[in-house]
Amino acid sequence: CCCMNDCFFAQCFKQSVMKKSHEARQKLLRLGIFRKVTVVIDTSRGEGALPNGLEVTFEVTELRRFTGSYNTTVGNNEGSMVLGLKMPNVLGRAERLGFQFSYGTKETSYGVSFFKPQPGNFERSVTLNAFKVMGQFPWSSLRESDRGVSAELTFPVWRTSQSLKYEAVWRELSCLAGTASFAVREESGHSLKSSLSHAMVVDSRNSSILPQSGGLLQIHQVRDVTVGILKELSICDKVLSASLWGGLLLPVGDSHTSIADRFYLGGPTSVRGFSMYSMGPQSEGDYLGGEAYWAGGLHLFTPLPFTRRRGGFMDLFRTHLFLNAGNLCNLNYGEGPASHLQRLAECVRWSYGLGLVLRLGNIARLELNYCIPMGVQSGDRICDGVQFGAGIRFL
């Protein structure tokens, strides 16, 4: 009986060591300074070795002093080519100095960043950035150029990931076309923006692209508040997904909100069946965005019909049934919350349809849907019929 107990405790001890070693290996890899981390577990030998002792050895291969990367990204129905140069472990404590250049269909940017984790607690970190971003927004006949700096503190709290960020930006707005509306021309010119924001994320999804289980909660606060909620329920290879977005932008004092800060809604990644960001307040065909919005979606994803085999190429595809709704408007801040809610509940746009979804690994998701828009208001641009979407974050 004593021998059996010794064997049982020895086995439990080995399993505990293997689990802790695996956790330590994952932490080392998350530092971003090692190309390879190998764990070797052997029985303890030599002078002073215990009868059931184990020796754990971590063999690591560091990254080069300079590393370069080239990749493409997809987001919000646009694609970008990204070139990067990094100096990992630049000061010997997992710091990282990086330069990135991104050229996209609607936005081009470049910047330099410095990442510094807290010694002994690498879940806490500070990131400093200096950047320039140039974007074109044809739905508003607007061109924007931002030059700025930012400082961000990231830290965990219980099961959440929290961040505090300060950003100072010199912003230049100009008209994209000579036919831009007077409302857009009024917004043109130089301005300085200083903002302090807080973000909280709780993410238990098993995939960020096409999850089958879990949930996502995001709360982002500047002076505006943005909330996103996503929940999936999987039953027999069928996934029922529900999502809710919302945002409120409050001006400071007597100042008015900027067209570059307002919310935009519509398109294949939000309320399907409407053209990209082509809902809500507009002037002479230029969409000006809104100070408050909400959007909700209900989706059913199923495997392709008549496919019995699992684990192959066809697993990247799903059929898609959806129902989307939302609204976008400006608010009269002299009115109370009840009036604000009533305004958001009026003239709701909604759509439904079906289509095909393709998951491109952990890079992006493609959708080809047949959409039927409803609740269309005067000035809205619709996409009645087939609509293609590409991105990472979908309603």
Side-chain angles (χ1 to χ4, degrees):
C1 182
C2 183
C3 182
M4 290 180 61
N5 287 337
D6 290 343
C7 291
F8 174 76
F9 287 121
Q11 185 66 24
C12 291
F13 175 67
K14 291 180 180 179
Q15 292 179 356
S16 176
V17 170
M18 292 177 64
K19 180 181 178 181
K20 294 294 184 181
S21 300
H22 175 73
E23 292 175 354
R25 178 179 179 272
Q26 294 301 114
K27 289 183 178 181
L28 289 172
L29 288 173
R30 284 200 297 269
L31 294 178
I33 62 176
F34 300 116
R35 181 185 302 127
K36 183 180 179 182
V37 178
T38 304
V39 182
V40 179
I41 302 177
D42 200 356
T43 55
S44 182
R45 299 176 183 177
E47 185 178 354
L50 298 175
N52 295 320
L54 297 175
E55 291 182 356
V56 181
T57 305
F58 291 87
E59 298 176 355
V60 300
T61 303
E62 291 191 49
L63 291 172
R64 298 175 181 175
R65 284 297 181 184
F66 292 91
T67 63
S69 62
Y70 165 80
N71 61 291
T72 56
T73 61
V74 178
N76 291 328
N77 227 36
E78 64 172 317
S80 301
M81 175 191 70
V82 181
L83 300 174
L85 178 65
K86 294 180 182 179
M87 295 177 61
N89 205 23
V90 63
L91 299 178
R93 289 179 175 265
E95 299 88 355
R96 185 167 62 248
L97 182 66
F99 172 81
Q100 183 170 286
F101 171 78
S102 174
Y103 180 80
T105 54
K106 297 185 181 71
E107 190 174 273
T108 299
S109 66
Y110 57 87
V112 61
S113 64
F114 178 74
F115 171 82
K116 168 69 176 177
Q118 178 182 331
N121 188 352
F122 293 100
E123 300 297 327
R124 296 174 178 264
S125 63
V126 174
T127 304
L128 305 177
N129 283 287
F131 57 87
K132 181 176 181 179
V133 182
M134 298 157 287
Q136 298 182 355
F137 311 102
W139 49 84
S140 300
S141 298
L142 186 70
R143 180 187 288 111
E144 181 178 355
S145 178
D146 293 346
R147 305 168 182 86
V149 294
S150 67
E152 183 175 11
L153 172 65
T154 303
F155 54 95
V157 176
W158 193 48
R159 297 182 180 180
T160 70
S161 175
Q162 310 264 348
S163 67
L164 289 172
K165 184 176 182 180
Y166 173 76
E167 191 172 60
V169 180
W170 172 19
R171 186 162 58 191
E172 180 184 3
L173 302 179
S174 58
C175 298
L176 186 60
T179 57
S181 65
F182 183 73
V184 174
R185 294 176 186 273
E186 278 189 316
E187 298 273 359
S188 299
H190 295 265
S191 62
L192 296 176
K193 177 185 177 182
S194 179
S195 65
L196 180 64
S197 63
H198 168 259
M200 184 189 76
V201 179
V202 182
D203 192 355
S204 61
R205 298 172 298 170
N206 64 341
S207 170
S208 60
I209 303 300
L210 194 60
Q212 295 183 332
S213 63
L216 170 67
L217 171 64
Q218 289 182 314
I219 300 177
H220 185 251
Q221 307 166 65
V222 193
R223 272 286 292 184
D224 60 296
V225 180
T226 306
V227 179
I229 302 174
L230 173 67
K231 182 65 178 179
E232 286 86 19
L233 176 63
S234 178
I235 303 175
C236 299
D237 289 335
K238 297 177 179 62
V239 178
L240 180 64
S241 173
S243 56
L244 177 64
W245 298 352
L248 175 65
L249 179 63
L250 300 174
V252 178
D254 296 329
S255 62
H256 70 281
T257 59
S258 170
I259 188 174
D261 293 327
R262 296 181 197 129
F263 303 108
Y264 292 84
L265 199 59
T269 60
S270 58
V271 181
R272 296 161 179 82
F274 292 81
S275 297
M276 195 70 178
Y277 299 145
S278 298
M279 292 170 50
Q282 55 95 21
S283 174
E284 302 175 33
D286 293 333
Y287 292 89
L288 308 178
E291 296 168 337
Y293 88 100
W294 69 271
L298 190 63
H299 306 262
L300 178 64
F301 300 96
T302 66
L304 292 179
F306 314 114
T307 55
R308 298 181 179 178
R309 297 182 61 182
R310 294 288 181 266
F313 175 73
M314 301 308 290
D315 273 359
L316 299 177
F317 293 87
R318 289 289 188 274
T319 56
H320 178 214
L321 302 174
F322 67 88
L323 174 64
N324 294 159
N327 198 9
L328 178 76
C329 66
N330 289 320
L331 302 177
N332 183 351
Y333 294 102
E335 301 174 347
S339 178
H340 296 171
L341 292 175
Q342 181 180 356
R343 190 182 292 261
L344 285 170
E346 294 173 347
C347 306
V348 173
R349 287 87 163 171
W350 62 285
S351 65
Y352 64 94
L354 74 165
L356 192 65
V357 176
L358 170 62
R359 176 173 59 86
L360 298 178
N362 289 320
I363 301 174
R365 169 172 138 192
L366 307 180
E367 288 189 5
L368 185 64
N369 296 313
Y370 187 87
C371 309
I372 302 175
M374 307 293 290
V376 181
Q377 304 300 312
S378 176
D380 293 346
R381 292 178 189 164
I382 64 171
C383 185
D384 189 1
V386 178
Q387 187 178 42
F388 174 77
I392 298 175
R393 184 173 180 257
F394 284 80
L395 178 65

